[in-house]
Amino acid sequence: MPATTVVPARGTTAVSRFVETLSSEATRRLRRSFLDEYLAWTAAYLQRPASKVTTGDLVDEENALAWLAAAQRGATRRRPGLGDPTARASVNSMAARTSSVNVFTRWCGHPLELTPPAPEFADRLTPREAHRTLRILSGDHPAGMLQATWERTVAVIALAIATGQGLSALHPLRLEDLDLERRPMPRVRVGEQWYPIVDAVSRRALTRWIATHQALTAGELKVLRGGDVEELWVTTAPGRPRPGQVAPPAGLPAAIRTLEASHRKLTALALGSPLLLEQFCAVEAEEAEVRSA
């Protein structure tokens, strides 16, 4: 923490100020997710509103350790796991939680320096295995999944294979980042780097998704008002209605969790067990991303 920084006394404000100091959008999203979970858990633990949780409460080692223990048991899980809805948290998510607390408390000037578990990395597919699996997944629309969702998910996998990048890098892509008309070889831009799309299966999957994207956001299926959506990944079905609100329509920018859930579902339906998107990516890219976060 710079010497001139004054740490806010209110926990919610301190978390927001800390997240604003982070340069990477992926890292901001990761830290915000886990620190918001920590703040909400602390409010319940101390039996007070979240607005009354102080920064001192968040840098308290006893509170931090109690939260980590609850998270490891699955007590803070907001979505059901692949099996048991209250399944224990993964080693990697616990490592990210611990790291988030460490860097936040260090910024606050009260470093806890808790020891995170060593992250685990899934076995990667070889390039040949990844392309063969892509052909399997892109060949037939599986029963139990919307066709548009299947098309979007296969397109995400195609770009993961082409670029070696995970969802944190692929999620922010916009239509302008995908150049399928380029001759002799289409390409995609991730960050400042362009990657060639060399195989026909990937090109077909991406062309198919772009046509569906057009139908959802600007074509015959369009239900939006106020302009087209430029994000590459959009929702394929109306969202869940909330009390007093109309359900959001399809064709809106898709959250990263939406893409993750669709990927798990497709690989489980088509292959019999779910694969992680990272298993289609280069080892170096994925491990560097996790360690830097």
Side-chain angles (χ1 to χ4, degrees), residues 38 41-42 45-46 57-58 60-68:
Y38 179 32
W41 181 90
T42 302
Y45 183 63
L46 300 177
D57 295 326
L58 297 178
D60 183 274
E61 184 171 357
E62 181 180 338
N63 290 341
L65 290 174
W67 166 61
L68 291 172

Side-chain angles (χ1 to χ4, degrees), residues 180-221:
L180 295 178
E181 301 302 320
R182 181 179 173 82
R183 296 291 183 266
M185 189 174 294
R187 61 181 185 171
V188 61
R189 178 175 56 197
V190 180
E192 299 300 320
Q193 185 171 350
W194 287 96
Y195 297 85
I197 303 170
V198 299
D199 65 289
V201 175
S202 294
R203 291 198 293 270
R204 283 196 299 271
L206 291 164
T207 300
R208 183 171 59 193
W209 167 243
I210 291 300
T212 299
H213 184 293
Q214 171 75 10
L216 288 168
T217 62
E220 69 272 13
L221 301 182

Side-chain angles (χ1 to χ4, degrees), residues 7 44 56 83 155 239 258 263:
V7 179
T258 300
H263 177 83

Side-chain angles (χ1 to χ4, degrees), residues 124-125 160-161 164-167 277-283 285-286:
R124 302 307 197 279
L125 302 175
I161 295 172
Q165 300 291 334
L167 266 182
L277 186 65
E278 69 190 54
Q279 293 178 260
F280 291 88
C281 302
V283 174
E286 158 64 8

Side-chain angles (χ1 to χ4, degrees), residues 27-75:
T27 304
R28 287 196 296 271
R29 184 168 54 243
L30 179 78
R31 301 300 190 207
R32 164 70 76 180
S33 174
F34 288 126
L35 290 174
D36 281 351
E37 179 189 284
Y38 179 32
L39 197 148
W41 181 90
T42 302
Y45 183 63
L46 300 177
Q47 298 183 336
R48 66 178 69 156
S51 61
K52 299 298 184 182
V53 173
T54 67
T55 302
D57 295 326
L58 297 178
V59 300
D60 183 274
E61 184 171 357
E62 181 180 338
N63 290 341
L65 290 174
W67 166 61
L68 291 172
Q72 189 169 39
R73 295 193 305 270

